[in-house]
Amino acid sequence: MQENSLTILYEDRELLVCVKPRGILSAKDASGKTSAADLLQPRTLYPVHRLDREACGLLVLAKTRESAAFLSGIMGSGFSKEYLAVCEGCPPEEGELTDLLFHDRRVNKTYVVKRKRGGVKEARLSYRVLQSGKQSLLRVRLLTGRTHQIRVQFASRGYPLVGDRKYGASCSGPLQLYAWRVQFSHPDGRSLCFTLPEAYCEYKTAGLLPAD
């Protein structure tokens, strides 16, 4: 089902799973820019995780305070998030990246830093290269959820995401970052898993995406 260009993949009394298009905020903020909640009115929705405004992909929103508390509580353990990303260059075939990150809200940019201090958080992710070349297709699993985490962790190693001029990409264009798969426990005990339909990925991924 589509509502004002936002596609709903699943909805019940407790939560909603949708495909957030580029240019839409995951949650309302002081900027006044259009958010997913704006497109899904008159529902009352509570964000439980965020997706960069420039990125496209799966977004889970709670419909009650109790569901929001439950989903927020399992984040990082019972809530798995995987992404597809296209980076410049060719990183090692697979690996796990760990950094200390600081997000500067004044400029909305995240930096890799060397020491712990106020506002600095550890960030971890694992990845696998699905296709390599001058541009490489990656499957990324977040082990923590930090602002701009995937973007800055790859950029800091010389592999900025395609289209990500904020973090040093060589060319402009749409940010090649997609929230591809989410798997989590429903408040009623069911295990739910959703995968982004390939039609939403501008990068040619046919035949490259794993089935599992």
Side-chain angles (χ1 to χ4, degrees):
M1 180 170 67
Q2 290 191 341
E3 296 197 10
N4 298 322
S5 79
L6 189 151
T7 301
I8 298 174
L9 299 182
Y10 176 84
E11 183 174 10
D12 62 23
R13 293 182 178 181
E14 303 293 334
L15 57 87
L16 180 151
V17 181
C18 64
V19 179
K20 185 193 79 67
R22 286 192 181 87
I24 302 298
L25 294 170
S26 299
K28 290 185 178 182
D29 64 14
S31 71
K33 294 177 180 177
T34 302
S35 70
D38 293 326
L39 298 181
L40 292 167
Q41 290 180 352
R43 300 170 182 85
T44 299
L45 297 169
Y46 304 89
V48 295
H49 69 107
R50 293 177 185 261
L51 179 60
D52 292 352
R53 184 169 68 89
E54 299 89 348
C56 168
L58 299 172
L59 182 66
V60 180
L61 298 162
K63 296 178 69 175
T64 68
R65 293 184 184 276
E66 294 76 15
S67 295
F70 174 83
L71 292 169
S72 296
I74 64 172
M75 198 65 61
S77 57
F79 199 118
S80 174
K81 295 180 288 184
E82 294 187 51
Y83 292 73
L84 296 179
V86 184
C87 72
E88 296 183 357
C90 184
E93 184 175 342
E94 61 183 351
E96 183 171 318
L97 308 183
T98 301
D99 292 293
L100 295 175
L101 301 185
F102 174 75
H103 181 68
D104 189 338
R105 295 179 181 274
R106 297 171 300 172
V107 294
N108 190 30
K109 190 171 181 179
T110 299
Y111 301 88
V112 174
V113 298
K114 295 182 178 180
R115 298 187 302 275
K116 280 282 236 180
R117 63 176 192 269
V120 172
K121 297 179 179 179
E122 183 182 77
R124 294 185 299 118
L125 62 78
S126 62
Y127 76 92
R128 181 159 59 92
V129 177
L130 300 179
Q131 180 179 346
S132 60
K134 292 183 179 179
Q135 296 180 351
S136 298
L137 175 65
L138 314 173
R139 178 181 178 180
V140 181
R141 182 182 180 188
L142 283 183
L143 304 176
T144 59
R146 312 302 183 201
T147 303
H148 297 177
Q149 178 179 334
I150 295 172
R151 299 163 64 181
V152 70
Q153 285 198 272
F154 281 99
S156 68
R157 290 165 171 82
Y159 309 109
L161 301 193
V162 171
D164 198 0
R165 296 300 293 270
K166 180 185 284 283
Y167 290 101
S170 61
C171 59
S172 58
L175 175 65
Q176 295 298 303
L177 178 64
Y178 308 89
W180 174 60
R181 174 174 286 180
V182 292
Q183 185 169 1
F184 58 93
S185 297
H186 191 282
D188 66 11
R190 288 179 294 151
S191 179
L192 298 180
C193 183
F194 299 90
T195 301
L196 180 69
E198 191 171 326
Y200 288 93
C201 298
E202 294 167 359
Y203 191 75
K204 302 301 182 182
T205 59
L208 295 173
L209 304 188
D212 61 339

